[in-house]
């Protein structure tokens, strides 16, 4: 397992980060559709949160997650992306862990909160990240993405640390 870069910082994103999200989405999600348009718009929704990963002053990744189903104890990871030249440094793992910790913090009275996500069936690096983090298959979706790709819905039930 790769150690996380010690200089990694996770920052709550704001309007100033929309251009970074747009640019990175255009690189990493291009084959799935117009995510470079959709994700910056999604960031502006009141129930959506975004966290940006930075190495020093350089933004290198983000995670966008929805609190729309928080009342049912579930957060949806809408998107997670890391700059291609920053892969294998634990940044994706750190972003995912942040979303999980946030979910636990926002659902203090629930015993079994969870994080749900959708991933392209052929996105092997992302599927490996989610598998290693304990996400499990819920169902498949045909032609889910605008490009016609199949998708998998994954879910992880979160465990609360012992008190």
């Amino acid at each position: 397992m790769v150690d996380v870069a010690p200089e990694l910082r996770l920052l709550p994103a704001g309007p100033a980060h929309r251009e970074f999200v747009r640019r990175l989405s255009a690189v990493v999600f291009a084959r799935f559709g117009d995510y470079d348009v959709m994700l910056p718009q999604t960031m502006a929704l009141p129930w959506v949160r975004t966290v940006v990963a930075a190495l020093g002053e350089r933004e290198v990744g983000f995670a966008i997650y929805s609190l729309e189903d928080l009342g049912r104890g579930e957060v949806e990871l809408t998107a997670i992306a890391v700059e291609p030249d920053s892969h294998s440094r634990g940044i994706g793992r750190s972003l995912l862990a942040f979303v999980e910790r946030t979910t636990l913090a926002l659902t203090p009275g629930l015993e079994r909160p969870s994080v749900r996500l959708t991933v392209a069936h052929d996105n092997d690096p992302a599927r490996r990240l989610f598998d290693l983090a304990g996400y499990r298959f819920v169902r498949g979706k045909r032609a889910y993405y605008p490009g016609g790709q199949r998708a998998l819905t994954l879910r992880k039930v979160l465990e609360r640390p012992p008190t």
Side-chain angles (χ1 to χ4, degrees):
M1 195 161 274
V2 176
D3 288 329
V4 176
E7 68 276 19
L8 182 70
R9 294 178 301 129
L10 299 178
L11 314 164
H17 294 101
R18 287 193 185 130
E19 177 57 25
F20 167 70
V21 169
R22 187 207 61 73
R23 185 184 54 72
L24 183 53
S25 297
V27 171
V28 300
F29 299 130
R31 71 185 183 103
F32 301 114
D34 294 331
Y35 281 77
D36 58 322
V37 174
M38 182 192 72
L39 290 179
Q41 292 171 346
T42 299
M43 289 173 67
L45 297 172
W47 58 86
V48 172
R49 302 290 180 270
T50 303
V51 60
V52 170
L55 290 172
E57 296 302 312
R58 185 172 157 246
E59 297 163 329
V60 293
F62 68 83
I64 300 174
Y65 54 101
S66 170
L67 306 178
E68 191 171 20
D69 294 327
L70 191 60
R72 294 193 329 243
E74 190 163 73
V75 165
E76 178 180 9
L77 179 64
T78 305
I80 188 168
V82 175
E83 290 276 3
D85 66 350
S86 294
H87 284 186
S88 299
R89 297 184 72 182
I91 297 165
R93 225 174 350 115
S94 294
L95 288 163
L96 190 56
F98 177 89
V99 172
E100 292 173 4
R101 286 191 310 274
T102 300
T103 301
L104 287 169
L106 293 173
T107 58
L110 296 175
E111 285 185 39
R112 297 175 52 84
S114 62
V115 176
R116 175 185 79 243
L117 60 91
T118 302
V119 62
H121 78 286
D122 61 350
N123 187 344
D124 294 333
R127 288 185 60 191
R128 189 170 31 261
L129 169 69
F130 301 136
D131 184 55
L132 289 171
Y135 285 77
R136 298 298 171 245
F137 176 80
V138 175
R139 70 179 168 275
K141 299 177 180 184
R142 292 181 185 264
Y144 176 79
Y145 294 101
Q149 298 92 341
R150 292 181 313 162
L152 307 173
T153 298
L154 307 178
R155 183 171 180 251
K156 180 179 179 180
V157 175
L158 304 176
E159 300 291 328
R160 295 199 179 276
T163 54

